[in-house]
Amino acid sequence: MNAIEFIISGMLAAATPFLLAALGELVVERAGVLNLGVEGLMALGAVLAFIVVYHGGGHTLGFIVAGLGGAALSLVFAVVALGFRANQVATGLAIGILGQGLSALFGKTYESLTIKGLPKLAFPGLSEIPVIGKLFVQDIVVWISLVATLAIWAILARTRVGLVVRAIGENPKAAHAIGYPVIAIRVAAIAFGGMMAGFAGAYAAAVYTPLWADGMIAGRGWIAIALVVFGTWLTGRVFLGACLFGAVSLMSLAAQATGLDVPSQLLSSLPYLVTIIVLGIISADRRLLKLNGVASLGEPFER
Amino acid sequence: MSILAGTFLPTLVRRERASLTAAMLAPIAALGIAIILNFSLYMLMGRDPAAVLYAMLLEPFLSWSAFSEVLLKAGPLLLIAQGLAIGFRAKVFNIGAEGQFILGAIFASSIPIWFPLATGQWIWPLMLILGAIGGALWASITAFWRVRLNANEILVSLMLSLVAAQFLNYLLLGPWKDPAGFNFPQSVMFQYDAMIPTLISGTRVNVSLFITLALSLMAWVFMQRSFMGYKLKVGGLAPRAAGYAGFSEGCAIWLSLLIGGFAAGLAGAAEVAGPIGQLQRSISTGYGYAAIIVAYLGGLHPIGIIFSALFMAVLYIGGDNAMVSANLPIAAVRVFQGSLLLAYLIAVAFVRYRLEWHRPPHRSQP
């Protein structure tokens, strides 16, 4: 398999942890809340899913437990940041540290054990196309994630629920004045984001790698937050960004495999460097950020 | 809501002025809550809570040698947190101190690694200066990205920390690896003159503790007494007002990040030229991240930070003890740190708000 086929076939799977977490964070930020704890939520999801699958609970149960765990920890964020109106940046950082700590604590005895991933399912017909066909052979979670992307796009952009969420992110006082429960909807968005981050971690540890090691999320939660900015808070662009990062992380793998004369540490830091560069390019266009940006992002709501 | 109608609901009501009593009590209350939560967790994990309490929170105080290790750990935390707090008060969230610390250590190590035979009393001071410059340079990338390219400093500084860790690995596995080091990813041991003189014989506490305390005093003067510090605080509280008064936001960002990077870099240099004595992979056990908690727990106030740094150092040393004597994984320290910050953020709400219990108003259906 040459490098291009390698990247085409693996890109979507590599993108899935980024995509799931970023979709969750997108909804949270659309509702006007900045949750920086994604890295910790993913770490918790990863260890929970791994433990369930390792003990024979199966992948479905693993994902459910990881999603519930992520949602539960993100509700702690909701209580502190919304209930007690704490600084959202500090609260998110605390959740991140707590989630990573809990994951290391729970996973201590599972370090470097392995489990079985999931089989690849071919999309009938399309998977027989030469070269690009590889794109249509994916595990079930990737297929579900693609459907979820479409669903979240449709809900945010085309439905009343999406409109309310966006209104609350844009102008919570006005949304409150016309009778929408701002705090309740924000809490629901945060719980959804936590669940998605839990799924993202579960995918990383129980399908993609599949093993658990302390620090295995390796900044993917932070990149997911950056993806929301790259995507200028639009679902389609967030999806494209996730694919880009899937490809970048595979490029560093492919380059290492071909024995390219580049230090492996430089290749490992490629996703972080690309994040820094793309963040600079996108952010420099202030008009673009303003156009779709969330006006009340990170500000506590008081009646 | 109809089920709850008629019951008493707690509501946060903003105080006319922040309560000083609550501000002083908040960290203590947070500590109490965090201790109760975490010790319940240890009991669930089947550990003897008394043994953990003894090992984690008492043992570090029970001998001079243990307490000197606490002072040693507190140094870098104190230094980094003082730098970060200045930025946090200006609402510049530099969370990349970890990377700035690593770059400081790398810059400082360049002298003993390139000139292993050099002697003279100038070596370790020069290393400290180089380290501070290295940290500030690494932070200046974030400042540039934020001021010129409008990029979020939280994300950029964090990404740069991950890059810095990879860069350190590269040096230790490649050009800076000790050729006689049995392939371990570490540099040569530094010569005698590259080490900061120790303060008290028999312990590892060194002169850098004085430097750290002096810089803490400077941080206090800067934040509480200087016009520049005042401008930074106003910029953080009311960016618009600051803008009208002619305080430039860009200047505040540059200043915050350079101070933060300077302090973190200096801490990194003091770590390699102090207790470690060589460049290693594990030069920082998460100091850059723990210092964020230290800064908040100290109320972003230079004096408060001295106490919170000491406490966090106790937690590190005590965590090491508990790992040995109570069979507690070291990850428990991270859990404690995270829950402590959360408890503090809750407690601090009572500085600005008071809790009122009253019947929710009966709302007519729209």
Side-chain angles (χ1 to χ4, degrees), chain B residues 283-304:
Chain B
I283 43 170
S284 162
T285 38
Y287 285 135
Y289 303 112
I292 297 171
I293 300 175
V294 170
Y296 275 106
L297 205 63
L300 303 183
H301 189 286
I303 309 292

Side-chain angles (χ1 to χ4, degrees), chain A residues 180-260:
Chain A
Y180 289 113
V182 173
I183 297 291
I185 290 173
R186 283 189 169 176
V187 169
I190 290 168
F192 177 77
M195 183 186 74
M196 292 294 277
F199 289 159
Y203 189 80
V207 183
Y208 190 65
T209 322
L211 60 81
W212 185 86
D214 188 14
M216 65 166 293
I217 299 302
R220 276 186 283 211
W222 289 100
I223 294 178
I225 298 171
L227 275 174
V228 180
V229 183
F230 297 166
T232 59
W233 295 270
L234 295 175
T235 319
R237 290 187 192 165
V238 169
F239 172 74
L240 290 179
C243 289
L244 168 74
F245 274 85
V248 168
S249 53
L250 285 180
M251 257 153 61
S252 53
L253 278 180
Q256 263 158 347
T258 52
L260 209 67

Side-chain angles (χ1 to χ4, degrees), chain B residues 6-359:
Chain B
T7 57
F8 288 89
L9 282 177
T11 333
L12 290 179
V13 180
R14 195 176 266 280
R15 292 178 197 267
E16 304 242 319
R17 50 184 307 172
S19 155
L20 189 66
T21 331
M24 304 293 265
L25 281 175
I28 298 163
L31 198 55
I33 299 169
I35 288 175
I36 293 169
L37 278 176
N38 282 277
F39 281 81
S40 317
L41 180 68
Y42 305 150
M43 279 166 77
L44 283 175
M45 290 167 63
R47 303 294 188 277
D48 175 12
V52 182
L53 185 71
Y54 179 80
M56 216 166 176
L57 299 177
L58 287 178
E59 219 169 66
F61 294 101
L62 293 183
S63 73
W64 175 236
S65 70
F67 189 68
S68 74
E69 287 294 304
V70 171
L71 289 179
L72 193 70
K73 266 285 195 250
L77 290 168
L78 177 56
L79 198 51
I80 303 169
Q82 295 287 19
L84 292 183
I86 291 172
F88 289 169
R89 290 191 88 163
K91 295 258 158 63
V92 178
F93 296 105
N94 168 18
I95 63 166
E98 187 79 3
Q100 293 143 22
F101 179 97
I102 291 173
L103 261 288
I106 290 174
F107 266 59
S109 302
S110 64
I111 296 190
I113 287 172
W114 283 334
F115 307 101
L117 301 174
T119 52
Q121 274 304 304
W122 51 272
I123 296 180
W124 67 265
L126 184 65
M127 285 168 69
L128 291 185
I129 294 167
L130 268 182
I133 293 172
L137 279 177
W138 200 244
S140 69
I141 303 175
T142 306
F144 183 84
W145 245 249
R146 174 77 166 80
V147 173
R148 279 304 183 79
L149 303 174
N150 187 36
N152 182 307
E153 78 277 15
I154 300 174
L155 295 169
V156 173
S157 63
L158 185 100
M159 288 295 139
L160 283 171
S161 288
L162 300 174
V163 174
Q166 292 291 340
F167 182 49
L168 177 66
N169 277 344
Y170 163 73
L171 287 175
L172 293 177
L173 291 165
W176 282 11
K177 185 166 73 178
D178 180 5
F182 303 102
N183 243 357
F184 279 113
Q186 55 193 34
S187 76
V188 290
M189 289 300 292
F190 298 166
Q191 66 266 40
Y192 181 77
D193 282 345
M195 306 291 289
I196 308 173
T198 48
L199 206 55
I200 308 149
S201 61
T203 71
R204 303 198 292 162
V205 180
N206 61 48
V207 177
S208 71
L209 188 65
F210 280 136
I211 301 174
T212 303
L213 288 174
L215 287 175
S216 289
L217 185 71
M218 279 170 63
W220 181 79
V221 173
F222 180 75
M223 280 320 272
Q224 313 300 125
R225 292 283 177 271
S226 82
F227 184 54
M228 203 61 187
Y230 175 73
K231 286 206 287 193
L232 279 179
K233 281 193 282 188
V234 172
L237 287 173
R240 264 208 206 125
Y244 290 135
F247 302 161
S248 132
E249 196 198 6
C251 177
I253 294 165
W254 272 104
L255 197 63
S256 299
L257 276 156
L258 288 180
I259 292 174
F262 178 92
L266 187 59
E271 203 64 9
V272 289
I276 298 181
Q278 68 183 153
L279 196 61
Q280 288 178 353
R281 244 184 206 179
S282 55
I283 43 170
S284 162
T285 38
Y287 285 135
Y289 303 112
I292 297 171
I293 300 175
V294 170
Y296 275 106
L297 205 63
L300 303 183
H301 189 286
I303 309 292
I305 290 170
I306 295 180
F307 290 100
S308 61
L310 266 177
F311 175 74
M312 199 61 84
V314 168
L315 199 60
Y316 266 112
I317 301 298
D320 274 340
N321 294 341
M323 188 169 68
V324 179
S325 61
N327 189 26
L328 199 69
I330 198 69
V333 171
R334 269 194 276 171
V335 175
F336 202 117
Q337 290 174 343
S339 49
L340 182 59
L341 181 51
L342 286 173
Y344 175 74
L345 290 168
I346 292 175
V348 91
F350 295 96
V351 179
R352 285 180 298 135
Y353 303 98
R354 55 171 197 278
L355 208 55
E356 272 186 8
W357 299 81
H358 55 72
R359 238 174 251 277

Side-chain angles (χ1 to χ4, degrees), chain A residues 4 108 136 275 285-286:
Chain A
I4 293 171
K108 185 88 180 80
F136 300 97
T275 308
D285 188 349
R286 284 164 205 253

